[in-house]
Amino acid sequence: MARIERVELRMVDLPPKVLRTDAIQSFVSQETPIVTITDSDGATGTGYSYTIGTGGSSVMRLLSDHLVPRLLGRDADQIEAIWRELEFATHATTIGAITAIALAAIDIALWDLRAKKQNLPLWKLAGGAKDRCPLYTTEGGWLHIEKQALVDDALQAKAKGFKGAKVKIGRPHGSEDLDRLSAVRAAVGAGFEIMTDANQGFTLDEAIRRSQVLRDIDLAWLEEPLPADDIDGHVRLSAATQTPVAVGESLYSIRHFREYMQKRACSIVQVDVGRIGGITPWLKVAHTAESFDMPVCPHFLMELHVSLTCAVQNGRYVEYIPQLDDLTQTQMRIEDGHAIAPSEPGIGIDWDWDAVKARSIDEFTTEIRS
């Protein structure tokens, strides 16, 4: 039995590759906590998570002061037990983003370690449902982008074989959203999916109104139309529109997802491995969604979500937003608009450690040993 002997912590601050704006915010930074666990056999596993510019320092202190010391000496293969113990040890700060982001980096590292030691890629270790998954792109659909640029990006994505494109909504008047989306639909035709994302920017009445205004566009989904903690509002909206409602990137507990599903407050599940607390709870949410006949279309983190989406039967799409190009030696493989699950043992992230170390913030770089 190999026990955890050493944990290395780093945080890298990655600037977004393009300007990213939505109905409530602009992305200025991508703080990326990175955790590397070494066991007594000398095997290592690396996990990571992210913020969109705030909270990274708090995540790192939670890791170094409270979570990582509890890992030392533990059997690294007892992932479920470790996750539960760490969640309980921080119960005063759960349920919420800071703790979930910290837990995710640890949990992903443990799964990476397990997969490497079993000589299996994550998508097979976690289920092995398929080896590829369709892509849709978000990178050309941000709210500030002008109408013709939206059209051009959607056409480029279609030409590459992508199955859809996401367009942010939440312009001051619904007629503006309609004008932009109508132009995209006219250009791409009926066989290409258009996803929309309001980023929690609407009130219930406005969400219902916009869903009616946009009804004839034949949208794949309406994502995060309301504040994520307004479950009743999502129930009322889902009953008022034929457009599927998608939620998940701002939910931090398997029980929150259960309640959404039970109340039919959504019909598409976008569970984010970096925000739910790692692979361990991600798989629980995905399997629960399958029992409700709901697809999983995870938010962001394409380099990791390709493996998880391929692991489960109801994984439908991977969201194309490149995140780790500056920190990895190879990028996610794409063939005919599909993300290809990595075949190498582990989570499939080919870290460029020279680049990681060069961009790590000294204040948060530390090593903790047993």
Side-chain angles (χ1 to χ4, degrees):
M1 177 178 62
R3 297 193 177 275
I4 297 171
E5 288 192 339
R6 184 170 78 250
V7 181
E8 297 169 81
L9 300 177
R10 300 180 181 277
M11 186 167 74
V12 174
D13 197 354
L14 294 172
K17 286 185 168 293
V18 300
L19 178 63
R20 295 171 179 169
T21 60
D22 58 41
I24 64 170
Q25 63 201 343
S26 177
F27 292 46
V28 296
S29 171
Q30 185 181 292
E31 299 170 310
T32 306
I34 300 173
V35 174
T36 299
I37 294 172
T38 303
D39 71 13
S40 54
D41 290 336
T44 64
T46 297
Y48 69 105
S49 53
Y50 73 99
T51 81
I52 58 172
T54 57
S57 59
S58 299
V59 171
M60 297 306 292
R61 288 301 300 268
L62 185 60
L63 284 165
S64 62
D65 294 353
H66 301 285
L67 296 179
V68 169
R70 293 177 177 273
L71 293 176
L72 299 175
R74 295 297 303 269
D75 177 358
D77 211 33
Q78 289 188 294
I79 296 177
E80 182 77 31
I82 290 172
W83 196 95
R84 179 69 181 94
E85 179 182 317
L86 294 183
E87 184 197 36
F88 184 78
T90 54
H91 66 87
T93 63
T94 54
I95 294 165
I98 298 297
T99 301
I101 291 168
L103 285 172
I106 290 173
D107 188 72
I108 293 165
L110 290 171
W111 276 88
D112 188 42
L113 177 61
R114 173 186 280 180
K116 288 176 178 176
K117 296 192 79 167
Q118 294 190 22
N119 199 35
L120 286 172
L122 176 63
W123 74 273
K124 286 187 176 179
L125 180 65
K130 47 191 175 287
D131 66 358
R132 64 196 61 209
C133 196
L135 283 162
Y136 74 91
T137 181
T138 295
E139 200 70 323
W142 303 101
L143 194 62
H144 69 278
I145 295 176
E146 295 301 320
K147 179 170 65 176
Q148 187 57 50
L150 291 177
V151 170
D152 293 343
D153 184 79
L155 287 172
Q156 290 172 14
K158 183 179 179 181
K160 293 176 182 176
F162 282 43
K163 308 309 175 187
K166 184 188 290 181
V167 176
K168 299 287 184 173
I169 60 174
R171 289 279 184 141
H173 195 274
S175 61
E176 297 177 70
D177 286 335
L178 176 61
D179 181 52
R180 289 155 59 83
L181 290 165
S182 295
V184 174
R185 173 56 75 203
V188 300
F192 187 77
E193 297 286 11
I194 300 176
M195 297 77 172
T196 60
D197 187 355
N199 290 97
Q200 306 183 67
F202 295 147
T203 56
L204 176 59
D205 63 322
E206 186 61 28
I208 293 174
R209 185 182 181 192
R210 298 244 180 163
S211 70
Q212 296 303 315
V213 167
L214 303 176
R215 177 181 53 201
D216 293 337
I217 304 295
D218 187 26
L219 299 174
W221 66 64
L222 175 58
E223 180 177 332
E224 284 205 313
L226 304 169
D229 55 358
D230 183 6
I231 298 179
D232 182 64
H234 283 85
V235 171
R236 294 166 65 187
L237 174 61
S238 294
T241 180
Q242 293 182 339
T243 301
V245 173
V247 299
E249 71 176 85
S250 301
L251 301 181
Y252 305 101
S253 164
I254 60 174
R255 296 165 190 85
H256 288 167
F257 278 99
R258 179 197 63 192
E259 191 168 5
Y260 262 92
M261 294 180 216
Q262 283 181 331
K263 293 186 174 181
R264 296 289 172 177
C266 70
S267 48
I268 292 172
V269 173
Q270 295 184 302
V271 56
D272 183 327
V273 67
R275 294 186 173 182
I276 191 62
I279 294 169
T280 298
W282 192 97
L283 290 170
K284 294 175 183 179
V285 172
H287 293 315
T288 302
E290 184 181 7
S291 74
F292 282 92
D293 294 320
M294 294 184 185
V296 170
C297 306
H299 167 259
F300 201 36
L301 293 184
M302 68 177 194
E303 295 90 350
L304 180 53
H305 278 140
V306 57
S307 294
L308 293 176
T309 307
C310 288
V312 298
Q313 189 64 41
N314 55 330
R316 178 175 290 180
Y317 286 114
V318 172
E319 181 176 24
Y320 180 80
I321 306 179
Q323 181 200 15
L324 295 178
D325 287 359
D326 293 338
L327 300 180
T328 55
Q329 299 186 83
T330 58
Q331 281 72 54
M332 183 181 74
R333 286 178 55 209
I334 299 174
E335 294 180 4
D336 190 28
H338 287 72
I340 308 301
S343 58
E344 300 78 14
I347 64 171
I349 308 296
D350 183 17
W351 297 101
D352 180 342
W353 286 109
D354 289 337
V356 170
K357 291 174 183 178
R359 302 186 66 157
S360 296
I361 301 171
D362 290 343
E363 178 184 357
F364 303 116
T365 300
T366 186
E367 180 179 295
I368 302 172
R369 293 173 173 266
S370 57

